[in-house]
Amino acid sequence: MSDRETTTRVRKRPVPPPTADTAERAGLGQQLKEKLATAVESGRTGESKDVARKGRPVRRARLRLTRIDPWSVMKTAFLLSIALAIVTVVSVFIVWSVLGAAGVWDSINSTVQDIVGGDEALTFDIKDYLGTSRVMGFTIIVSVVDIVLLTAVATLTAFLYNMAAALVGGIDVTLTEDR
């Protein structure tokens, strides 16, 4: 045998020659062709479990998730929580602007003046308590706290998952190729 025949193309490691007690199996492609031929000969009209609609085999991979990198989880959680904070600030601003344009604050002021009455009610303005600047300031503070907390919780969750996976082996995942 030449050196070229005893090495594989991928890793260039020598392949041991087959011995008399080693059974040679057909490749995966050949096995799938045989299964397909058997299914066709037996007259099955439905699809085989291992064959896609167009007669091509479906590739499957069973994987086990044993470790999650906490650093990448922290970076991803940080970016997603920043995006959530931006969405929160913008949505609160839009809601408060719509409520102001709809006249809700003037309606609340007139309702309070009708209920309370007197001179003190004439000076009451709901915007002194729930003005846009106060609400936006509060929303920004809550968003910053959420960024810190969500990042910390996601990173802690990655550490806890890694410890649990070290004990029980992780989560088994089966992936199939959709063609």
Side-chain angles (χ1 to χ4, degrees), residues 39-40 42-48:
V40 170
S42 66
R44 289 190 212 163
T45 57
E47 293 178 359
S48 175

Side-chain angles (χ1 to χ4, degrees), residues 4 8 11 13-14 24 27 31 45 48 50 56 59 65 68 72 94 107 118 128-130 132-133 136 144-145 155 159:
R4 188 175 184 168
T8 61
R11 294 190 180 150
R13 291 184 183 168
E24 292 187 22
Q31 290 176 3
T45 57
S48 175
D50 295 333
R56 291 181 286 187
R59 295 191 314 181
L65 184 60
I68 299 174
S72 64
I94 289 173
S107 175
D128 292 340
Y129 303 102
L130 293 177
T132 305
S133 61
M136 292 308 296
V144 169
V145 170
T155 307
F159 278 114

Side-chain angles (χ1 to χ4, degrees), residues 18-54:
T19 60
D21 62 339
T22 304
E24 292 187 22
R25 295 186 341 184
L28 179 62
Q30 184 64 30
Q31 290 176 3
L32 291 173
K33 285 180 186 177
E34 290 171 3
K35 284 184 179 181
L36 180 60
T38 305
V40 170
E41 287 175 5
S42 66
R44 289 190 212 163
T45 57
E47 293 178 359
S48 175
K49 186 176 181 181
D50 295 333
V51 178
R53 293 184 192 273
K54 297 180 181 176

Side-chain angles (χ1 to χ4, degrees), residues 4-5 14 20 23 29 31 33 35 43 64 80 83 87 92 94 99 103 113-115 133 147 157 168-169 174:
R4 188 175 184 168
E5 293 175 25
Q31 290 176 3
K33 285 180 186 177
K35 284 184 179 181
R64 180 172 286 176
L80 290 176
V87 167
V92 166
I94 289 173
L99 290 176
Q113 289 172 359
D114 290 344
I115 291 173
S133 61
I147 288 171
T157 302
V168 297
T174 302

Side-chain angles (χ1 to χ4, degrees), residues 50-114:
D50 295 333
V51 178
R53 293 184 192 273
K54 297 180 181 176
R56 291 181 286 187
V58 175
R59 295 191 314 181
R60 295 177 189 213
R62 264 187 80 115
L63 303 173
R64 180 172 286 176
L65 184 60
T66 57
R67 186 174 185 286
I68 299 174
D69 184 31
W71 178 248
S72 64
V73 169
M74 186 182 80
K75 291 187 295 186
T76 305
F78 180 70
L79 290 177
L80 290 176
S81 60
I82 285 177
L84 180 66
I86 291 170
V87 167
T88 302
V89 169
V90 169
S91 63
V92 166
F93 178 75
I94 289 173
V95 167
W96 237 247
S97 298
V98 167
L99 290 176
V104 171
W105 310 128
D106 295 331
S107 175
I108 290 174
N109 286 336
S110 65
T111 303
V112 169
Q113 289 172 359
D114 290 344

